[in-house]
Amino acid sequence: MSIKKIIEGKKEWRAHVSRVKALPQDYQIVYKEIQKYLFKVGPVELNNGIELLSDILSFFEEGAAAGKGVLEVTGTDVAAFCDALIDDSKTYADLYQESINQKVDKAMKK
């Protein structure tokens, strides 16, 4: 990765964080928990940019602008909300499962 792309990525991330800080407090709390959740179990493509996080942030900004509480936007099961967002995405858990199966398969063929 070039220095230019790293700098652009940092600028993009700082702008993203500023948008998060502009949200109402309840939205910030839920957003940060969603972010943690996605970084732990989320899609592999999170390494390629912050598009999913930006989409969630835009969704939250719209909800806040409409005067809705954050749980009106996500539902009370925030983890289920996250799972629905990444339903069709390959996750790190998927990669790990594939890796284990390949290792076992390879070992059993010896």
Side-chain angles (χ1 to χ4, degrees):
M1 182 178 278
S2 73
I3 298 288
K4 186 176 180 177
K5 285 192 177 202
I6 292 171
I7 292 170
E8 288 172 3
K10 285 186 176 189
K11 285 181 183 177
E12 182 183 11
W13 182 251
R14 285 187 191 116
H16 181 84
V17 170
S18 293
R19 287 175 59 201
V20 172
K21 289 179 180 178
L23 288 171
Q25 188 66 32
D26 59 336
Y27 277 87
Q28 288 183 44
I29 292 166
V30 173
Y31 175 84
K32 289 175 185 175
E33 290 304 316
I34 288 173
Q35 182 180 326
K36 287 180 204 174
Y37 183 84
L38 292 176
F39 283 156
K40 287 183 182 179
V41 302
V44 176
E45 62 258 14
L46 272 181
N47 281 339
N48 299 331
I50 61 170
E51 185 177 332
L52 176 61
L53 294 174
S54 291
D55 290 346
I56 294 167
L57 183 52
S58 294
F59 184 61
F60 277 18
E61 289 169 335
E62 290 172 18
K68 295 181 180 180
V70 68
L71 295 181
E72 289 178 77
V73 172
T74 62
T76 56
D77 189 343
V78 178
F81 172 80
C82 293
D83 290 339
L85 292 174
I86 62 171
D87 190 35
D88 295 331
S89 302
K90 184 166 261 198
T91 65
Y92 288 106
D94 295 332
L95 293 178
Y96 191 58
Q97 289 171 350
E98 290 172 12
S99 170
I100 289 172
N101 289 336
Q102 289 171 356
K103 288 177 183 178
V104 169
D105 193 37
K106 184 177 179 180
M108 297 303 285
K109 288 181 180 178
K110 286 184 178 180

